[in-house]
Structure formats: C-alpha cells, structure tokens
Amino acid sequence: MQERITEKNRLKEKVAQLFMLGYEGETPGPVLDKFLSAGLGGIIFFRDNFQSMTQASQAQALLSGFQKQRKAGAPELFLSLDQEGGQVERLPHAIFPSLVTPRAIGLSKDPQALAETTYTVMAEHLAALGFNLNYAPTLDVNLEAKNPIIGVRAFADDAKTVWRLAKIAKDDFWDTGIIPLGKHFPGHGNGTVDSHLKLPHLQFSEEELSAFQAAIDDNIPAMLVSHGFYPALQKKPDEFEQPASASKTIIQEVLKKRCGFQGLILSDDMCMGAITQEKNPIEAAIASLEAGIDLLVYKQSTESEWAVYQGILSAIEQGRLSRQRIEEAYQKVISLKQERARQAAKAKLSVPAISQWDADYLSGVTLPIAKSAITVLSSQAPQATALSLTPKNSYLKNSYLLVHPDRASITNYRFDQPTSPELPELLKTDGWTNLEAIAYRVEPTGQHFGQHQEENTLLAQLPDKHFSAVIFVSFNPLIQPIQQALYAQIKARYPETPMILVSAGTAYDKQVFEGVMTHIALCSYRPPSMTALAETLTHLLKDTQQLIGKSV
C-alpha cells in the first residue's frame, strides 16, 4: 500500500515538471504556490512581474527566491522569459539593457557584428540575473508583409539570413548557460492571423522549414511548436483544425522523424485564443502531450491550470494517457536541466556587478547598439547614412512637423511610457526649437480612418503653415488602414513638403506611402531606439537643402 502511495506521489511530481507557468502582476498567487509544492517544472515571466522594479537586484532576488521555494529534492526551476530584443522584451529598460529587434539587426550595415554584440550583451545580463531559458531565437522567415505576429521578430525574409544570425543568438545564450529555444515550428512566417486571437491556417513553406532544420542540425536543445493549422501537412481527418502543438503529424512525423529533433519540445502559450476558442483546456493539454509536447506553457497560474494538472493525472489513471509518454517527457525535462547546469558551470560572465546597473551604465551599453541598428533604406540626402550626432546648428530653428504613434496605444511598448520621454521631448532636447508634434493611436487591425471622432480631430490639428519637412513615424501601416489614410491626408495638405518616413515597426511601409524622400528603418520603439532616432534625425537635417528635392 505504501509503495502504491509513493508511486502515486512520484507521478504527481513528474506531471508537475511538465508545466511552465506564469502569474499576473508582481505577487505570485496561491495556485503557483500549490504547483511549486507539487514540483513545478518552471516559471515564465512577463513585463508586469517586474514593472515597479527600479533596480536589477530586485529581479535577481525574485528569481533566487523562486529557486529556494521549489519543492525539496526537486531539480532547478526553468526560469524563463521572452527576451527577443526590441518589440518583445519582458524586462524594464530601467533595470536591464533594452536592445533591438532581430529585423533591425538583419537590415543593419553589419548584421553579423551587431548580432554578436547584441546577443552577448543580452545573454550575459540574463544569466547574471538568474534566468536559464530564453524563448529565442525566432527562426520564422517573415514571408508575409502583413504578418501580424512575426514581422520585426524575424531576422529576415530569407532562411539563410535568418539562420546565420539566429545561430549567433543561439550560441551566445548556450555559452552563458541559458537554454536557447527555436520557434515557432514549423514556421509562422506566412500568417495573416494572430494565433493569440484565433487559430490561423498557415501555408507550409520549405523555405521556413530549412531554418529550423539548420538549427536542429546545429543541436539546438529546445523547440517551441506553434498553434497554427497547416493544411498541406495535416491531411488526416482527425487533424482538421487541429493546432500543430497537438498534431502527431507535425511533432512526430515532421519535427522528430523528418527533421531528426530529439530535444525538449514546448507548446506555445496554452492560454492563446488559438487553443481556448477551440478546445476544453484539459482536453487540449492531453492532446498536446499525446502528440509529443514535453512541456506545457501557460502565461498564468489560476484554478484553470490546476484543473488541467488534475485532469492529466486522472487521464493517466484512466489509461487515456500513457505513463510511458509522461515518463518520456519527464526524462527530457530533467536531462536538459542537468545539461544546462553543466553548461552554466563553465560559463564566464564579463558584466559588472548588478549593483552597478544604473541608468548611465545601461545607456552606455544600449545606445551604441541602438544607433548601429538604425538603417536609412532610401534617401536623397547625400550623407544620410552617417548616424553620429553633430553640433546644433541654425537649421534646427526651421519649422518641422512630427507625426508619431502614442506609445500608450501599442501593446508591446506602453510599459515604457511612464519612465522615458516621448520623441518630441527628445528632439527638443537636441535643439529642435520650432517643432510641432501630433500623436496618433495605433488601432486594432482592420479599423479605418474616420471611425472615431478622435481620429477625425487629428486633421483639425494640422497647422496651416509651411514646414521644412514632415517626419511621419509609422507602426505596421500595412495592417493599419488608419495610418495609411492619415499619411495620405497629410501628404495632400503639404504636397511640396519633403516627407521623412520612419518605420518603427516593420520596414515594408513604402508599399503604401507615396512620395517618401527619406525612409528610415527603426524597427523598434524602445527608449534607446527613440533616443538614437532623435540623434539620427538631427544629423540628417544638418543641411536642410539636402532634403528639399524631388521625391523618390
């Protein structure tokens, strides 16, 4: 009888190891505590978990505290986060180096050098805080310009460039004892539907798969499977409308057999709309485990996740889910934790003590990277590629109009707003004495200009005067009809005025904006990138006559 009880408890611990959970806000709730007592496998952190922190030592203490809180005798927790750089960052810029997006790196003058610098900085600082798994690098190839979920998170539009730069990130993470994870297998680059909202039907692409294959051949230790449906691959009747994360075809036949991957397989967040709108949470988790997922990821830890845990245990007792499958997944989790510990023991970090990570230190690390990541894609200004700040000159007293997105309306960037200045303030600090600025909201995809009275009032704010140039900062206008119409109205109002376009999101914007004379790829709206942009614009306008010319 005692042996049976012991075995049952052991099974509970093994199943708990197959969960990676998050929590809302800065205080973990009682359900996370229950999971920790049961032997939880890991924690995934989000921005709101750190939002009020002003010192890096607070984040370090938080992570250390969780490791101490884990069940006695249990292996180390996976302490994980999505720190891709730029658009997807979970740590506040006030306590951690805010870096640049993969796409900004891919477009830069020297992508390889910039990638090496960026990911060394990111990896060493993450390791110093106590993180041991990062949901990066992104291996998706952005094959669809209107992709709402990948975009600047992809290094490039071709697989060779993606893998060449992703390999640098992968090696830098592993060298510091952080597990690199490839995502979103078998590729999310063709999508036009956000899987956070509903299940996307995705085109399968051999081009995209080749980037994942290269990572697998290079022994990447972990892979995340998408919540997309791939009709070209999932042809079995029982896999229709089934996400890849619950597909035996995708996981067993493509990922394991065809590509030869033997490492740890994670689901994408099981709280995403692609899952919750289609399936019961318990059945969704069981289906994913049966298909070959080893570690279930949830952004939260509520009673719903505890019910999933209990449901999995019941399914095992009832014989619906084999103990062999659970044992296989458990052993892969434990094996990678042990391998990571050995790797971490060899790592040598060159970052200063965390107590020295003040504002001056972080700025000194991030600003040079942000400057190197700004690329002038096209311009008639002869010296447009030079990015250094020049002395303030009288040209800055000319009149300029700046139209820019309100960061409060952008999901991934609104967290920075209370702790960093807006772009108009940065430009005025750089000497722009006659600058007029208008902020617009980034609206949900599909809404059109004029649907809200607030949008209509933007046109009324446009001054009836001459400007030396108009700077329009866009954010993914291909999927934002409001921005397209707003730009067109401004262009019509000032037809002879030079238009400077800054792409704060994806860099495909000239497809929908006519008459652009200078096009700058920023690909991020984090504070260091905004500061670097202000300096870049100051330099570009050092001779106003360079910008007064025929539009391209």
Side-chain angles (χ1 to χ4, degrees):
M1 182 66 176
Q2 182 62 39
E3 183 177 338
R4 178 175 174 77
I5 293 173
T6 301
E7 177 59 28
K8 191 171 183 178
N9 288 338
R10 188 75 180 123
L11 179 63
K12 289 181 179 179
E13 293 176 10
K14 289 181 178 181
V15 172
Q17 279 289 312
L18 310 186
F19 280 80
M20 181 88 82
L21 301 177
Y23 61 95
E24 188 174 351
E26 296 187 89
T27 305
V31 175
L32 187 61
D33 290 338
K34 285 199 294 185
F35 267 103
L36 286 165
S37 297
L40 179 65
I43 299 172
I44 177 171
F45 294 91
F46 291 88
R47 186 62 173 269
D48 60 325
N49 302 142
F50 308 98
Q51 190 54 28
S52 69
M53 293 185 181
T54 58
Q55 297 179 336
S57 58
Q58 294 172 290
Q60 184 187 48
L62 175 68
L63 270 60
S64 176
F66 275 122
Q67 290 290 18
K68 294 174 183 177
Q69 194 180 344
R70 71 183 190 269
K71 185 175 182 178
E76 70 170 2
L77 290 163
F78 284 136
L79 297 178
S80 67
L81 80 173
D82 280 289
Q83 193 76 10
E84 299 174 9
Q87 183 165 299
V88 179
E89 293 186 347
R90 306 309 188 196
L91 292 162
H93 69 95
I95 67 172
F96 189 86
S98 178
L99 298 170
V100 296
T101 61
R103 187 57 168 158
I105 294 172
L107 288 171
S108 67
K109 183 178 180 181
D110 190 345
Q112 184 144 340
L114 184 57
E116 288 170 353
T117 300
T118 299
Y119 294 112
T120 296
V121 167
M122 185 185 294
E124 293 199 351
H125 286 80
L126 286 175
L129 289 179
F131 290 101
N132 54 31
L133 190 155
N134 191 12
Y135 296 84
T138 299
L139 297 172
D140 302 293
V141 181
N142 201 65
L143 300 171
E144 169 55 63
K146 294 183 179 180
N147 196 318
I149 192 171
I150 302 302
V152 296
R153 301 168 65 192
F155 287 102
D157 303 337
D158 68 280
K160 288 184 178 179
T161 302
V162 166
W163 171 239
R164 179 167 56 88
L165 300 176
K167 176 176 169 53
I168 295 170
K170 173 242 177 196
D171 289 345
D172 282 346
F173 292 141
W174 193 234
D175 285 347
T176 59
I178 293 175
I179 297 166
L181 174 146
K183 62 184 182 186
H184 306 77
F185 188 89
H188 220 301
N190 270 312
T192 57
V193 173
D194 188 344
S195 53
H196 291 90
L197 305 176
K198 61 182 180 179
L199 180 69
H201 286 215
L202 297 168
Q203 284 186 310
F204 170 70
S205 166
E206 292 287 348
E207 166 86 357
E208 257 192 302
L209 188 66
S210 66
F212 290 93
Q213 184 66 67
I216 291 167
D217 292 343
D218 201 54
N219 299 313
I220 194 165
M223 192 70 70
L224 182 145
V225 180
S226 83
H227 288 327
F229 172 60
Y230 299 80
L233 297 174
Q234 298 171 253
K235 298 179 179 180
K236 298 176 183 178
D238 62 343
E239 290 203 359
F240 181 71
E241 295 289 327
Q242 185 87 300
S245 54
S247 165
K248 290 182 180 179
T249 296
I250 299 296
I251 297 174
Q252 299 296 336
E253 296 180 17
V254 181
L255 179 56
K256 288 187 173 183
K257 291 182 182 178
R258 176 177 171 179
C259 296
F261 184 68
Q262 299 301 315
L264 188 70
I265 304 173
L266 290 80
S267 73
D268 208 340
D269 178 14
M270 298 293 287
C271 299
M272 290 165 63
I275 299 297
T276 58
Q277 288 191 0
E278 303 290 331
K279 286 184 173 291
N280 170 281
I282 296 174
E283 294 305 315
I286 292 171
S288 291
L289 289 171
E290 285 182 322
I293 293 293
D294 302 312
L295 192 59
L296 296 165
V297 180
Y298 295 85
K299 70 176 182 181
Q300 61 194 27
S301 46
T302 68
E303 290 297 338
S304 175
E305 284 67 51
W306 188 253
V308 170
Y309 171 65
Q310 297 289 350
I312 291 171
L313 290 171
S314 296
I316 297 169
E317 289 293 323
Q318 296 164 7
R320 294 178 55 211
L321 188 56
S322 75
R323 290 175 183 255
Q324 181 181 355
R325 172 78 269 271
I326 297 301
E327 184 65 29
E328 175 193 35
Y330 171 76
Q331 289 299 332
K332 286 170 73 175
V333 168
I334 299 304
S335 176
L336 184 52
K337 288 185 174 184
Q338 292 172 341
E339 187 179 1
R340 189 218 74 84
R342 291 191 293 270
Q343 186 68 18
K346 299 185 294 183
K348 295 181 180 180
L349 306 182
S350 59
V351 296
I354 286 177
S355 60
Q356 298 178 33
W357 296 12
D358 58 15
D360 289 340
Y361 168 72
L362 294 173
S363 177
V365 171
T366 60
L367 195 53
I369 291 173
K371 288 181 180 179
S372 296
I374 295 179
T375 302
V376 178
L377 297 177
S378 62
S379 180
Q380 286 188 258
Q383 300 184 36
T385 56
L387 301 182
S388 60
L389 178 63
T390 59
K392 317 242 180 340
N393 294 311
S394 60
Y395 68 89
L396 289 177
K397 295 180 181 179
N398 292 334
S399 182
Y400 300 102
L401 174 64
L402 171 68
V403 183
H404 64 101
D406 178 0
R407 282 186 294 167
S409 68
I410 310 177
T411 301
N412 291 297
Y413 295 110
R414 63 173 59 123
F415 286 106
D416 295 325
Q417 199 172 35
T419 55
S420 62
E422 297 296 342
L423 185 57
E425 298 173 62
L426 292 169
L427 289 169
K428 288 177 181 178
T429 299
D430 279 347
W432 295 50
T433 58
N434 196 3
L435 175 73
E436 298 199 34
I438 297 175
Y440 66 87
R441 292 186 305 162
V442 174
E443 297 287 356
T445 302
Q447 293 191 343
H448 293 271
F449 190 79
Q451 282 187 281
H452 301 285
Q453 186 62 36
E454 180 178 336
E455 303 303 334
N456 290 328
T457 60
L458 285 175
L459 293 179
Q461 296 177 38
L462 296 176
D464 187 15
K465 60 184 289 187
H466 170 76
F467 291 105
S468 297
V470 174
I471 299 102
F472 191 98
V473 182
S474 62
F475 189 82
N476 298 345
L478 267 69
I479 56 176
Q480 291 281 328
I482 288 175
Q483 292 178 47
Q484 297 180 34
L486 177 59
Y487 177 91
Q489 295 274 12
I490 293 171
K491 182 64 180 170
R493 179 73 66 89
Y494 310 107
E496 302 302 321
T497 303
M499 301 293 287
I500 300 172
L501 174 63
V502 178
S503 296
T506 58
Y508 306 108
D509 303 3
K510 281 187 70 176
Q511 295 181 23
V512 292
F513 290 155
E514 294 183 356
V516 173
M517 192 176 61
T518 299
H519 183 197
I520 300 172
L522 186 64
C523 300
S524 174
Y525 217 43
R526 292 278 173 232
S529 294
M530 293 172 68
T531 299
L533 174 63
E535 295 190 4
T536 298
L537 289 171
T538 300
H539 178 78
L540 285 174
L541 298 179
K542 70 178 183 178
D543 183 352
T544 306
Q545 293 306 309
Q546 291 180 359
L547 295 176
I548 305 300
K550 185 178 179 181
S551 298
V552 296

